[in-house]
Amino acid sequence: MRILIVNTSEKTGGAAVAANRLKDALNNNGVKAKMLVRDKLTDDITVVSLGHEWRNQWHLLWERFCVFWHLHFSRNHLFEIDLANSGTDITKLREFKEADVIHLSWINQGMLSLKSIRKILCSGKPVVWTMHDLWPASSICHYAHGCYRYENGCGNCPLLPGNGNPNDLSSKVWKRKKTMLSHGNIWFVTCSQWLARQAKRSGLLRGLSVTSIPNPIDTHFFEPQDKQVARQHLQLPTDKRFVLFVSQRVTDQRKGMDFFVEAIGRMVAEHPGMKENTGIAILGGHAEELEGKLALPVYPIGYVSDQQRIRDVYNAADVFVLPSLEDNLPNTIMEAMACGVPCVGFKVGGIPEMIDHRKNGYVAAERNAEDLAKGMRWVLDEADYAALSEAAVGKVLRSYSQHSVAMQYLEVYNEALAFKNFRL
């Protein structure tokens, strides 16, 4: 069986990391898998580039300009909207023709257009589409933010200016997607049960298969290691405990930095002694902007791409905190747990599926900084830390190992191929 996974980037972003890990998991479990990307960053022979960089850049710039125009040239929501009005036709590529199953992943920002997706569906090849957010089941947005218009047809989109038009751009794109999805056989997979519940409410996916399979992780690489050695590698103090916060862009409001700042302030106000023995390590871009805003000493690590260094960051931490306001199945929580680090997060999205409350971490009430502070304090000073750490590793081994996830996807591929053969 030959699988072609299609994703915009090879490595950049959570979906790219998850797609790359799935490709490796499949290959390590007897399934031939390749990855087709626009942005190839390594010399991995199992990853194929689209080529034609100038043309790819044009697709991206044209789509962004169209979004910008529809926003009346406001930057508000500029990167929260995708139109898929421009992209590459991959059906003529050798890798496409050789594949038994086409596996779409995150294909936005000029990678594939609705027209090119329709060509894929009309090719007769079975298609599996992993949803890393709601975009495949909605119109133009990646996260619903409490909006349920996608259930019946979109329109009156809160992301567009002049909200109140039932036949706005979101309505038009929704109808185009509905027409597109009427062609071919397609199986949708969500990375979390939370996203599956949202997807099944979509009028676009009505009557289509939607199942939930988590992302995989290499548990032979992400594993517990000596904390003191990890801190020495990162030039962090070895006489402090560390709270870790990670985000590709730490100032992203969706990641809940404002709640994190408030929670740290509350925790230190109640336990001022923590200023002497506890620090905050921040991994991600713009980390330096947070210095002076937190009640504990901040150690900005910056943006890191080296995997061994990322593993050191997790192993250097005592607790990982991700106060996302909306999230699917964060790779960061999985990576931290695999390294034996208990996690604290809000009860949103797929986070409660990963963190088992008071067993391998702490699930705080949504948007509740007081409870977030309580969870951090509980992990650091009240819980049986060794038991939490062991339970975190156990959860990852049971649920997110390469073998476990690859076998679940193999069932979906076989079902898709069987359906194709039945139709023939």
Side-chain angles (χ1 to χ4, degrees), residues 156-171:
N156 298 318
C157 182
L159 296 180
L160 296 172
N163 179 24
N165 181 0
N167 296 310
D168 64 9
L169 178 66
S170 69
S171 174

Side-chain angles (χ1 to χ4, degrees), residues 102-105 107 117 121 126-138 177-178 180-192 195-196 199-200 202-213 408-409 412 415-416:
I102 306 302
H103 188 146
L104 303 181
S105 187
I107 45 75
I117 296 172
L121 295 174
V127 176
V128 173
W129 195 341
T130 293
M131 294 174 55
H132 297 279
D133 54 43
L134 193 60
W135 187 85
S138 70
K177 281 189 174 181
K178 186 67 174 176
M180 175 193 77
L181 291 171
S182 67
H183 297 80
N185 53 327
I186 182 167
W187 276 253
F188 284 93
V189 176
T190 65
C191 301
S192 68
L195 188 57
K200 288 175 181 178
S202 169
L204 291 174
L205 273 53
R206 203 159 288 142
L208 298 176
S209 171
V210 179
T211 189
S212 178
I213 302 175
Q408 292 178 70
Y409 267 109
V412 176
E415 183 181 341

